[in-house]
Amino acid sequence: MVQTIITRTISSLLVILGSLTLVFAIFYLLPGDPVLSMIDPTYATPEMIENLRIQLGLDQPFYIQFGHYLADMLRGDFGVSMVNSDPVLPKIIANFPSTLILTLASTCIAVLIGVILGILSAVHRNGWIDILARTIGLFGISMPTFWSGILLILIFSIQLGWFPAMGSDGISTLVLPAITLGIVGAGFVIRMVRNSMLEVLSEPFITTLRAKGISRHVILYKHALRNALIPVVTVVGMQIGEMLAGTVVIETVFSRQGIGRILADAIMARDIPVVQGVVFFTAILYVVINLLVDISYTYIDPRIRRSLT
């Protein structure tokens, strides 16, 4: 078990290093001069531009810039914004609670809808409930989040006036963004719960329980569901990471405060330190969540725990 945790931790650190390297390389290789996004070239002389480039270390080769970048990140120094000179890390921390609330609310919606419809779909296989649940799941997986978000705004905000279309103040502004992200996650959970339930219901021990005369209700919800939900834990953990990434689009569509929105704004303004800081912060969260899921998985499933001992 300890060996597994160490191995997962090392692989997680490599994933974080890989994401940092990729983001840094992308911005290093992109055409254009980031210094020109900081000052107005109309009023700046070539000497001023070159001096600022030297001051920021942008005249150094790739490996030196990357080394300084890694060292700063490891010290918790995410740099300052090129647009307004605000420190990046406090900006991320200030916006993170809004993103965290949105992610947790979306996950709750995805799990609630996904588990209920997944169970009903498996129990009523090939019936109209099964077809309806699979259609909802397919809709959630197939529809782009920005399209679903705009559709919900048109129906529930503009037509019905039930919820505000934009903002991040109060629970009412959380409903539509959370449903938009939750529908996407629910699609994957429905499919996973349905397939897992059907697989468990075909196991020999279910046939034995039926032969013993145990009621269908007890077999489904006490024995089958308990085993079927084990792989769902992994899917839910992965969905939390996917929803964190999805906040970039949703927070922009709903003009909601959060790290996804400041990432989108930073990309548009070519504000490299903010982009790198948000990606580093998100990568750490994503890796930590998946690491916790992997570890919890070994505790939940006795078969995996026995195979590791």
Side-chain angles (χ1 to χ4, degrees):
M1 182 68 72
V2 175
Q3 182 66 33
T4 302
I5 295 174
I6 294 174
T7 304
R8 296 280 196 280
T9 303
I10 293 174
S11 62
S12 300
L13 292 175
L14 291 177
V15 170
I16 293 175
L17 179 62
S19 63
L20 283 176
T21 305
L22 182 62
V23 172
F24 186 86
I26 288 174
F27 278 94
Y28 183 84
L29 296 175
L30 279 178
D33 190 346
V35 174
L36 298 181
S37 64
M38 303 175 60
I39 59 178
D40 188 346
T42 306
Y43 304 102
T45 64
E47 290 77 15
M48 293 172 61
I49 296 174
E50 186 61 24
N51 288 336
L52 183 56
R53 185 178 292 111
I54 294 173
Q55 182 182 348
L56 295 173
L58 298 177
D59 61 323
Q60 300 293 325
F62 174 83
Y63 64 94
I64 293 180
Q65 290 188 41
F66 185 60
H68 290 159
Y69 165 69
L70 280 182
D72 291 339
M73 286 292 185
L74 292 176
R75 289 196 302 268
D77 181 7
F78 286 28
V80 297
S81 168
M82 285 183 170
V83 175
N84 49 28
S85 300
D86 290 339
V88 174
L89 185 57
K91 187 174 184 178
I92 293 174
I93 293 175
N95 284 273
F96 178 62
S98 179
T99 299
L100 179 63
I101 292 172
L102 174 60
T103 303
L104 293 178
S106 304
T107 302
C108 291
I109 292 173
V111 172
L112 184 65
I113 296 175
V115 171
I116 292 175
L117 291 185
I119 293 172
L120 293 175
S121 179
V123 172
H124 301 280
R125 185 179 184 182
N126 296 328
W128 68 269
I129 295 179
D130 183 24
I131 296 173
L132 177 63
R134 284 189 291 168
T135 302
I136 294 174
L138 183 62
F139 175 84
I141 295 173
S142 306
M143 294 298 105
T145 51
F146 72 90
W147 187 88
S148 302
I150 293 173
L151 183 64
L152 291 180
I153 289 174
L154 288 174
I155 297 174
F156 295 102
S157 182
I158 297 177
Q159 294 295 329
L160 300 176
W162 289 357
F163 304 102
M166 298 180 180
S168 54
D169 298 325
I171 296 178
S172 60
T173 61
L174 178 65
V175 175
L176 294 184
I179 291 176
T180 304
L181 271 180
I183 289 174
V184 178
F188 291 98
V189 178
I190 289 172
R191 180 170 294 184
M192 174 58 70
V193 172
R194 180 183 184 275
N195 293 339
S196 186
M197 278 289 288
L198 290 176
E199 183 178 346
V200 172
L201 289 174
S202 65
E203 293 285 339
F205 79 94
I206 295 294
T207 305
T208 303
L209 292 174
R210 287 172 178 160
K212 289 182 178 179
I214 297 177
S215 69
R216 184 169 180 262
H217 180 82
V218 174
I219 292 175
L220 283 176
Y221 297 102
K222 184 177 179 181
H223 298 280
L225 182 60
R226 183 177 179 180
N227 289 278
L229 289 182
I230 291 175
V232 177
V233 174
T234 302
V235 174
V236 172
M238 294 174 64
Q239 284 303 307
I240 294 176
E242 294 293 333
M243 288 178 185
L244 275 173
T247 57
V248 176
V249 175
I250 294 303
E251 288 175 352
T252 302
V253 170
F254 289 93
S255 296
R256 183 177 175 80
Q257 182 185 10
I259 59 174
R261 187 179 177 189
I262 64 173
L263 176 61
D265 293 341
I267 292 174
M268 296 297 293
R270 198 180 167 82
D271 196 347
I272 297 175
V274 175
V275 175
Q276 292 172 335
V278 173
V279 171
F280 181 50
F281 189 81
T282 308
I284 292 175
L285 288 176
Y286 190 88
V287 167
V288 169
I289 290 170
N290 282 278
L291 178 62
L292 293 176
V293 169
D294 286 345
I295 294 173
S296 65
Y297 200 51
T298 59
Y299 281 99
I300 294 172
D301 193 340
R303 294 168 296 183
I304 296 178
R305 187 167 60 249
R306 283 195 295 269
S307 68
L308 297 175
T309 56

